[in-house]
Amino acid sequence: MNSFLDTAWRLIDHFISEAVLAVHGALAPLEAISPGLVIFLLAVAVVWICVFLRKIYHTRRLSELKEQFEYWYEVKNEALKQPDKARAKRMGRNIDQAELNRVYYDYFFEGLLKSVVTIWLPFLLVLGYVGKIYSPEMMKKDFGQSHLFTIGSDFQISGVFWFFICVGLALASMSCIKYIRKAKTA
């Protein structure tokens, strides 16, 4: 089993290394303009990819769990409306213990897995790429300085920090665009 896992890990590592080299080769012409521009474009691309994946990736199980949760939540609320408060409280607790808690935790973990696949995995892959390609050592080797920008005389902005700034700007601009679209239709 260990040799199988070792072989599988070597294949995964080789695939990721080749993918990094391919992406780096495709983005190399843009680095002549500015590595900061490349990181900005990667940040915008990963935000767009995450939003797109979030819209198209839905599991049938997540939809079913949402319906079950809403159903049992309504049943509990109806039970709590009983005129006898002690009986209503016992019925609500029984519903919680019997169904609602189980459905809630299943729904929560299914949503968490969806978020890992659609947001965190793409984001962390691009962050790993930026961290590897635009590390201070690689920046010093490729561009002659270990940072992207200098603000004042003391503050140096690294590739990873710039990536986080660009992701924040991309998310803020997408929120503004959504707000403007909503305002136009209202």
Side-chain angles (χ1 to χ4, degrees):
M1 183 66 166
N2 285 338
S3 64
F4 170 74
L5 292 175
D6 289 341
T7 304
W9 179 248
R10 278 193 297 269
L11 289 172
I12 291 169
D13 184 46
H14 177 72
F15 173 75
I16 290 173
S17 297
E18 291 298 318
V20 164
L21 290 174
V23 169
H24 187 60
L27 296 175
L30 292 175
E31 281 182 351
I33 298 170
S34 168
L37 174 67
V38 173
I39 294 172
F40 176 77
L41 293 175
L42 285 170
V44 170
V46 78
V47 168
W48 283 351
I49 288 169
C50 290
V51 168
F52 177 72
L53 288 175
R54 221 41 205 166
K55 285 183 181 180
I56 66 164
Y57 180 74
H58 297 284
T59 61
R60 184 177 63 228
R61 184 166 191 261
L62 184 64
S63 301
E64 290 170 358
L65 288 170
K66 181 179 180 184
E67 289 174 12
Q68 288 178 9
F69 174 75
E70 289 171 352
Y71 170 76
W72 285 109
Y73 187 74
E74 288 299 318
V75 168
K76 179 184 175 184
N77 284 339
E78 288 298 319
L80 292 175
K81 291 179 184 176
Q82 294 270 338
D84 183 9
K85 295 297 179 189
R87 183 173 183 224
K89 193 173 184 180
R90 283 193 312 270
M91 288 177 66
R93 187 172 40 243
N94 287 341
I95 291 169
D96 275 346
Q97 291 173 351
E99 289 295 325
L100 191 59
N101 287 344
R102 181 190 58 80
V103 171
Y104 172 75
Y105 287 115
D106 288 347
Y107 179 52
F108 171 78
F109 284 115
E110 189 73 21
L112 181 67
L113 289 174
K114 178 184 176 184
S115 136
V116 165
V117 169
T118 60
I119 294 173
W120 293 106
L121 190 60
F123 177 77
L124 290 175
L125 285 172
V126 174
L127 179 62
Y129 171 80
V130 169
K132 179 178 174 112
I133 298 298
Y134 299 104
S135 67
E137 298 82 29
M138 292 293 286
M139 290 287 293
K140 184 77 168 167
K141 185 180 119 191
D142 293 342
F143 302 105
Q145 59 185 17
S146 62
H147 54 279
L148 285 175
F149 310 109
T150 303
I151 298 176
S153 61
D154 297 341
F155 193 67
Q156 298 174 345
I157 296 180
S158 67
V160 172
F161 186 64
W162 178 242
F163 176 73
F164 281 114
I165 291 170
C166 293
V167 166
L169 290 172
L171 288 171
S173 66
M174 290 191 80
S175 295
C176 289
I177 290 169
K178 188 184 290 187
Y179 177 76
I180 290 170
R181 284 184 182 168
K182 189 182 282 187
K184 282 185 178 179
T185 60

